[in-house]
Amino acid sequence: MAVGKITVKIRPAVRFAYGLIDTAAPPAGQLVGVLTLGIPTQAAVLTSVFRELTPYADSLEMNRLVLRDEVPANAETWFQARAFRLAAARGIRGIVAHSDPELRLSLADGTS
């Protein structure tokens, strides 16, 4: 998956994908962000939080959120909220979204 110069090497199991299109900055219609909802590595990721929902049918994991650096502040929050509303319209009632408060330029083993 690539957004501009950002390429995500690991491709998770995706059920829904949403794109953020910049209609104002030239060139108009440029893809500047991608958010995917999909299947986590274990059903327990979903069932531990949403016990009453059917994993993969009623609940998913936000497994990617990528935006270009030039996207304005607060766009991540707006884009995430919009994608979650669109997913709810398709029957998704629960989404697990993890966040990492630490800036990561490389993995713990030194690779990037």
Side-chain angles (χ1 to χ4, degrees):
M1 171 179 6
V3 176
K5 296 179 181 181
I6 301 171
T7 302
V8 178
K9 296 177 184 178
I10 299 170
R11 294 192 175 104
V14 174
R15 180 143 176 243
F16 300 119
Y18 301 96
L20 180 63
I21 307 295
D22 188 342
T23 58
Q30 184 176 7
L31 178 68
V32 296
V34 173
L35 183 147
T36 64
L37 302 175
I39 312 301
T41 55
Q42 300 178 36
V45 170
L46 302 172
T47 58
S48 65
V49 179
F50 304 115
R51 298 183 199 285
E52 72 285 356
L53 300 179
T54 304
Y56 319 135
D58 301 326
S59 59
L60 296 170
E61 175 184 54
M62 184 179 80
N63 44 25
R64 290 291 182 271
L65 174 58
V66 180
L67 278 81
R68 294 187 60 164
D69 288 339
E70 61 269 16
V71 174
N74 208 32
E76 292 168 342
T77 303
W78 181 89
F79 183 35
Q80 186 175 341
R82 180 70 179 137
F84 287 7
R85 282 194 301 273
L86 291 169
R90 298 182 77 176
I92 302 302
R93 299 293 171 244
I95 297 171
V96 172
H98 306 280
S99 66
D100 187 350
E102 299 295 324
L103 175 62
R104 306 269 184 217
L105 300 177
S106 63
L107 299 175
D109 67 359
T111 61
S112 56

